[in-house]
C-alpha cells in the first residue's frame, strides 16, 4: 500500500481521510511550528504541504485547510474557524461565540470549504477545493463529528453533520468532495 503523508495532527480529519482514500496508508506528519498566515484556505493548505513535502521527497504529500463561512458574518469565521473564540483552539467556545453572533439573525446560510493541496512524488503541486452549503441551526444537536458539525445543517437535510453517519457525511461534506478530487488525481497517477 502506498503512503500518503498528511500535514495534520487532527485525528478526526485523519480518520476521515483514511476512510475516503482506502488505497493509501495515511501517515500523519504534524507541520508543527508552521504559521498558517495565508488569507485563504488554498494558501494555508499549500503552506502546510510544502513544509512536510521537504521531509518526504519522492512521496505523495497532502495538506488541507478548511473552515466555516457564514454569510451574515461576512464569511467569518473563515480561515480563523479553529480559533474563532481565540487561542488556544476551543470547540465549545467557538460554537458558543458563533451562536451568540447569530442571535436574532434571519439569514443563517453558511458553507464549509475544504482546500486540499497535494505534492506529487515529482514535486508537482495541485489543489482541489470542495464546498458544502447549508445553514447554522439555532442550537447544537448530535454527538458525532467535530468542530462546528453539531451546528451545521447541510442543504437538503434536517439533521446536523453531527447527526449523520460517517458514510452520509463523507458523501456530501466539503472534505468528502475535495478528497474525491484528490482520489481521482491519485488514481490517474498510478
Amino acid at each position: 500500500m502506498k503512503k500518503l503523508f498528511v500535514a495534520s495532527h487532527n485525528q478526526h480529519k485523519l480518520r476521515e481521510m483514511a476512510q475516503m482514500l482506502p488505497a493509501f496508508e495515511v501517515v500523519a506528519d504534524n507541520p508543527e511550528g508552521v504559521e498558517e498566515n495565508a488569507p485563504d484556505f488554498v494558501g494555508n493548505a499549500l503552506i502546510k504541504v510544502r513544509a512536510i513535502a521537504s521531509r518526504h521527497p519522492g512521496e505523495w504529500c497532502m495538506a488541507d485547510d478548511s473552515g466555516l463561512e457564514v454569510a451574515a458574518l461576512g464569511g467569518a469565521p473563515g480561515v480563523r474557524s479553529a480559533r474563532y473564540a481565540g487561542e488556544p483552539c476551543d470547540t465549545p467556545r467557538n460554537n458558543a461565540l458563533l451562536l451568540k453572533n447569530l442571535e436574532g439573525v434571519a439569514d443563517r446560510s453558511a458553507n464549509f470549504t475544504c482546500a486540499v493541496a497535494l505534492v506529487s512524488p515529482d514535486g508537482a503541486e495541485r489543489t482541489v477545493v470542495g464546498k458544502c452549503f447549508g445553514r447554522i441551526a439555532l442550537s447544537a444537536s448530535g454527538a458525532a463529528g467535530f468542530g462546528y458539525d453539531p451546528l451545521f445543517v447541510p442543504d437538503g437535510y434536517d439533521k446536523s453533520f453531527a447527526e449523520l453517519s460517517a458514510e452520509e457525511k463523507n458523501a456530501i461534506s466539503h472534505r468528502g468532495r475535495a478528497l474525491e478530487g484528490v482520489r481521482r488525481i491519485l488514481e490517474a497517477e498510478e
Side-chain angles (χ1 to χ4, degrees):
M1 181 176 284
K2 293 185 93 169
K3 289 185 178 182
L4 175 62
F5 292 91
V6 178
S8 183
H9 58 85
N10 182 318
Q11 294 304 310
H12 298 287
K13 283 185 182 184
L14 292 165
R15 185 171 37 254
E16 284 183 1
M17 290 172 179
Q19 290 169 343
M20 290 184 265
L21 300 169
F24 284 80
E25 177 188 352
V26 173
V27 180
D29 185 347
N30 188 350
E32 202 169 330
V34 172
E35 188 176 349
E36 298 175 47
N37 55 9
D40 56 33
F41 298 116
V42 170
N44 283 332
L46 284 167
I47 288 169
K48 291 187 282 188
V49 78
R50 288 171 181 154
I52 70 161
S54 66
R55 297 195 289 255
H56 305 287
E59 300 282 354
W60 279 103
C61 294
M62 181 174 84
D64 88 306
D65 194 44
S66 55
L68 180 68
E69 298 171 302
V70 180
L73 302 177
V79 295
R80 299 282 308 149
S81 289
R83 290 164 185 79
Y84 187 46
E87 298 282 351
C89 175
D90 185 315
T91 296
R93 281 188 19 227
N94 288 340
N95 286 338
L97 180 59
L98 179 62
L99 289 175
K100 178 180 177 281
N101 288 342
L102 287 175
E103 283 176 7
V105 175
D107 177 9
R108 299 175 79 85
S109 61
N111 67 272
F112 270 117
T113 298
C114 175
V116 177
L118 280 170
V119 173
S120 67
D122 66 5
E125 294 180 349
R126 296 181 182 95
T127 59
V128 181
V129 176
K131 289 184 181 277
C132 182
F133 294 88
R135 68 188 182 286
I136 303 302
L138 296 173
S139 61
S141 58
F146 61 99
Y148 297 98
D149 286 359
L151 296 176
F152 184 79
V153 179
D155 285 348
Y157 289 77
D158 59 0
K159 295 178 180 179
S160 74
F161 264 179
E163 294 175 295
L164 300 177
S165 70
E167 294 78 23
E168 289 174 304
K169 179 186 172 191
N170 290 345
I172 63 167
S173 76
H174 54 303
R175 188 167 295 106
R177 290 174 176 166
L179 289 175
E180 178 57 27
V182 167
R183 187 187 60 73
R184 285 194 301 269
I185 290 169
L186 294 173
E187 286 177 355
E189 296 287 330
E190 289 292 305

